[in-house]
Amino acid sequence: MFRIVFYQPEIPPNTGNAIRLAANTGCELHLVEPLGFSLESKYVRRAGLDYHDLAHLRVHPDLETALRALAPERVYAFTTSATRRYTDVAYEKGDVLLFGPESVGLPEHVQRHPAVTDRLRLPMLPASRSINLTNTASIAVYEAWRQHGFAGAR
């Protein structure tokens, strides 16, 4: 399946929701430290409900460690500054979908990292600043999964 990476996430309920997303789609969820919260936070647990044991979750101490663990897969960095749309990609199993912290998005040095295959964006109205982190990840995951006929789904 696909791999979701949250680089330095800040808001516990978003990560809890991403745990549910991973559990329900068969994706792996990778978190890159530092996290803006403890994974034991009641907000993470509440948003993730009883899906924590069903999700494949890994925490990495830094971006380089995460990218080594995910290599050699393609890495797509999601950012509002990209020009290519997320629907313009033919996703492959194992692709990495990389998202930045809620308050600032992916830093430029992460977007331009040599391991990043391409930068992608979701279309929005011009006056909009961003879409919620887990909503964005969900949209991207479901597009990638749709392209594979929702393999494994009931």
Side-chain angles (χ1 to χ4, degrees), residues 1-6 18-19 21-23 25-31 55-58 60 69-70 73 94-97 141:
M1 192 43 82
F2 307 100
R3 297 166 175 179
I4 305 162
V5 177
F6 280 7
I19 289 168
L21 174 65
T25 60
C27 290
E28 294 175 7
L29 177 60
H30 296 259
L31 305 177
H56 300 279
L57 173 66
R58 287 188 60 189
H60 303 276
L70 296 164
E73 306 302 342
D95 279 352
V96 176
L97 312 175
V141 164

Side-chain angles (χ1 to χ4, degrees), residues 65-132:
T65 303
L67 292 172
R68 276 194 304 276
L70 296 164
E73 306 302 342
R74 301 183 312 172
V75 177
Y76 292 102
F78 283 76
T79 174
T80 58
S81 63
T83 57
R84 189 170 184 204
R85 289 185 179 175
Y86 77 105
T87 52
D88 294 338
V89 172
Y91 294 96
E92 298 175 6
K93 287 185 178 181
D95 279 352
V96 176
L97 312 175
L98 174 62
F99 304 90
E102 292 89 340
S103 65
V104 294
L106 276 177
E108 189 70 21
H109 76 276
V110 175
Q111 294 180 37
R112 303 290 181 189
H113 191 284
V116 171
T117 304
D118 204 351
R119 298 174 342 133
L120 304 175
R121 68 176 177 86
L122 273 64
M124 295 183 293
L125 295 176
S128 298
R129 185 175 61 84
S130 66
I131 298 174
N132 170 275

